Amino acid sequence: FSPGLSVKAGRTDGEYTADVDSFYASFWFRATRKRGDISRIAVCAANPEGTLRASNYIEMFATAGGVIVRTAETYPNYTYCAKVRNCGYQAQFHYVQIAPLLKLGTWHRVEMIFHAKAADYADRWKYVVNKLFAHEGGAYFQTARYDQGWPYQYINRLKFQPRHPNRNVAHKGFYFDDIYYKAFNSSDVNTTVEEYGTSFERDPLY
């Protein structure tokens, strides 16, 4: 888990207690090998306690043909899940590839934008890869929480989670750089409430 902000993003309607309704994150990544070794890593928004994947799911997957960047979305769609309120396990990990295969051994940028909505199953995520490829979807993990009646999870940090076997030395993983995230309100997108960034370079990220 990355360091948490002091504010939390999520729903602000009714009994919900988020400080802001929106969250933005960006990072650069590169596979450590120039040939795919089936390394996989997920980058998910995480809760203030630093214990859970809170809302979305996006992963990088280094295959022999290139890097796949894909998100998991609830199947068949969030409108259906809101109606039946029981998407069940058939909804699990319906992958949507965001961009064509990306070159191995090259740096790529991912941006993630979250907006909470005042309705169940309605939180939204937008992903942009290399400023060229975009996808808009929902809050994958939050769907399961609504289905199960579990508490709503707020956002203020990231979780980096290997999806290949942790102790398998054949998987060399990924490099990350210029990790940045901020909390803000959709009603005033130009005002940052709080932000965090880290980089190998001296130039500021924000």
Side-chain angles (χ1 to χ4, degrees):
F1 292 91
S2 66
L5 303 177
S6 64
V7 297
K8 57 187 180 183
R11 289 181 65 171
T12 59
D13 58 296
E15 296 181 354
Y16 293 94
T17 60
D19 302 294
V20 297
D21 66 5
S22 300
F23 182 84
Y24 168 91
S26 66
F27 55 85
W28 290 80
F29 77 91
R30 177 170 73 84
T32 58
R33 285 183 168 180
K34 293 184 178 180
R35 61 180 181 85
D37 62 4
I38 317 300
S39 290
R40 293 172 59 198
I41 191 166
V43 181
C44 307
N47 66 344
E49 294 76 18
T51 57
L52 294 171
R53 298 169 296 185
S55 184
N56 68 320
Y57 182 95
I58 185 172
E59 76 169 27
M60 282 59 70
F61 184 12
T63 71
V67 179
I68 296 172
V69 179
R70 62 188 185 181
T71 180
E73 300 290 353
T74 297
Y75 182 84
N77 57 62
Y78 295 90
T79 301
Y80 171 82
C81 291
K83 290 179 179 178
V84 301
R85 302 188 70 86
N86 185 21
C87 281
Y89 286 104
Q90 70 268 23
Q92 298 298 302
F93 289 100
H94 176 69
Y95 289 114
V96 177
Q97 188 168 328
I98 300 172
L101 286 172
L102 303 177
K103 289 184 179 180
L104 293 158
T106 299
W107 286 97
H108 303 283
R109 189 184 189 203
V110 172
E111 297 173 90
M112 313 189 300
I113 306 98
F114 165 77
H115 294 302
K117 303 294 183 181
D120 292 356
Y121 297 87
D123 288 355
R124 303 297 295 168
W125 281 90
K126 180 179 181 180
Y127 305 92
V128 181
V129 178
N130 291 341
K131 296 286 187 182
L132 294 173
F133 310 102
H135 168 73
E136 294 193 34
Y140 174 75
F141 285 115
Q142 189 56 48
T143 295
R145 293 191 176 92
Y146 283 129
D147 282 353
Q148 299 296 326
W150 296 337
Y152 184 88
Q153 293 297 324
Y154 300 95
I155 295 166
N156 73 351
R157 67 178 81 215
L158 299 175
K159 177 178 175 64
F160 295 81
Q161 180 183 12
R163 299 294 290 164
H164 55 255
N166 285 344
R167 294 174 177 81
N168 188 331
V169 297
H171 303 295
K172 300 302 182 183
F174 298 84
Y175 296 116
F176 286 87
D177 197 7
D178 291 354
I179 298 168
Y180 171 76
Y181 43 94
K182 66 178 180 179
F184 65 101
N185 279 303
S186 59
S187 60
D188 187 7
V189 297
N190 295 317
T191 299
T192 297
V193 176
E194 190 177 348
E195 60 193 349
Y196 170 84
T198 186
S199 173
F200 289 110
E201 292 76 39
R202 294 181 60 183
D203 295 333
L205 296 168
Y206 44 88

